[in-house]
Amino acid sequence: MRILLVEDDQPLSAALSKSLRDASYVVDCVYRGSEALAMLAAEQTDIVILDLGLPDMDGLEVLRQIRHKVKDMPVIILTARDKVTDKILGLDAGADDYLPKPFDMDELFARLRVLERRLGTASTAIVKIGEVALNTQTLELSVAGEAVSLPRRELMLLKVLMENGGRIQPKQKLESRLYEWGDEVSSNTIEVHIHHLRKKLPENFIKTIRGVGYSIPVNGA
């Protein structure tokens, strides 16, 4: 999942983004409302985490503009405005969730999982195809019942492919799930990750669709 974090408190933004990345989310960080709108127009985003007290425009106005352009974009408001009237304003403006500061990261993760399920990318915590089982919450992987350790980005790549079992995932889409805006990505990066994954997965588990992308057949390897 690729998250756009809109938070003008830079130390908080840095801490939040680190926690999210440690949980295997891809995170793009901006500090102003105008930057958030520009990013949404230019980059693929799955979920927006939005502060309301932004320096250039109120977060509610950012939310209204998001809703005008992308009606189904999931948005979690993360703000110090904790009055009931503030929550009502935020939810009525189109927020999917509203979490006042201070908050617990585990609660934010739980709310993100709810939105993932709503998006259809995490219908259950365990995704199993053939002999391969992946817990999408803990990122624990097993093959034929044996635990397998993988680097974070390879786990993220496998997660996208398994959650979309049977559907071709274009290379560009996979890159957007693994790398943040501004990251330097070489032309064969995905191929390298796939090569490493195949060494630890059953033979022919990941199929290459030449010139298009990759897929995991739903009937397993």
Side-chain angles (χ1 to χ4, degrees):
M1 298 298 293
R2 186 169 185 165
I3 293 175
L4 176 59
L5 175 59
V6 191
E7 169 61 66
D8 70 315
D9 183 331
Q10 295 194 24
L12 177 57
S13 176
L16 265 175
S17 60
K18 181 181 185 305
S19 295
L20 290 165
R21 289 177 183 124
D22 287 347
S24 294
Y25 291 99
V26 175
V27 187
D28 296 311
C29 300
V30 297
Y31 310 111
R32 303 169 69 87
S34 57
E35 294 171 341
L37 296 172
M39 179 69 74
L40 286 170
E43 299 289 338
Q44 183 172 347
T45 298
D46 295 307
I47 297 174
V48 177
I49 299 178
L50 176 65
D51 183 26
L52 295 183
L54 301 172
D56 59 337
M57 58 196 301
D58 190 82
L60 290 178
E61 178 57 29
V62 177
L63 177 57
R64 292 187 188 99
Q65 291 195 37
I66 291 173
R67 281 288 165 262
H68 179 69
K69 297 175 181 178
V70 191
K71 297 186 183 299
D72 59 352
M73 174 65 67
V75 178
I76 298 179
I77 288 177
L78 203 62
T79 179
R81 301 178 193 175
D82 58 358
K83 295 180 181 179
V84 172
T85 52
D86 292 320
K87 295 179 183 179
I88 292 171
L89 283 172
L91 294 170
D92 283 348
D96 296 270
D97 207 342
Y98 194 108
L99 187 58
K101 301 172 184 176
F103 59 92
D104 188 278
M105 279 302 303
D106 286 339
E107 183 177 2
L108 176 59
F109 287 144
R111 293 175 186 237
L112 286 169
R113 288 194 294 271
V114 169
L115 293 180
E116 285 189 75
R117 289 193 293 272
R118 192 180 304 170
L119 288 169
T121 61
S123 57
T124 178
I126 305 295
V127 180
K128 190 173 189 299
I129 299 177
E131 297 181 328
V132 181
L134 177 67
N135 186 316
T136 61
Q137 294 181 11
T138 64
L139 292 183
E140 294 173 325
L141 174 67
S142 65
V143 177
E146 296 292 329
V148 175
S149 177
L150 289 174
R152 183 177 70 92
R153 281 209 167 105
E154 288 171 20
L155 276 170
M156 291 166 64
L157 176 57
L158 182 61
K159 178 175 182 284
V160 174
L161 290 170
M162 291 187 67
E163 287 179 339
N164 292 279
R167 295 191 290 271
I168 298 171
Q169 300 300 297
K171 178 181 171 182
Q172 185 176 10
K173 179 180 178 181
L174 294 173
E175 288 176 350
S176 75
R177 290 296 187 271
L178 267 65
Y179 294 93
E180 298 159 18
W181 179 80
D183 283 349
E184 291 187 10
V185 183
S186 63
S187 60
N188 69 335
T189 294
I190 296 299
E191 287 87 344
V192 171
H193 287 315
I194 293 290
H195 174 73
H196 291 158
L197 278 173
R198 283 175 168 154
K199 291 181 177 180
K200 296 191 175 182
L201 296 172
E203 187 177 358
N204 297 323
F205 186 73
I206 300 175
K207 301 290 186 183
T208 299
I209 295 80
R210 292 195 177 279
V212 181
Y214 299 91
S215 177
I216 295 177
V218 292
N219 61 350

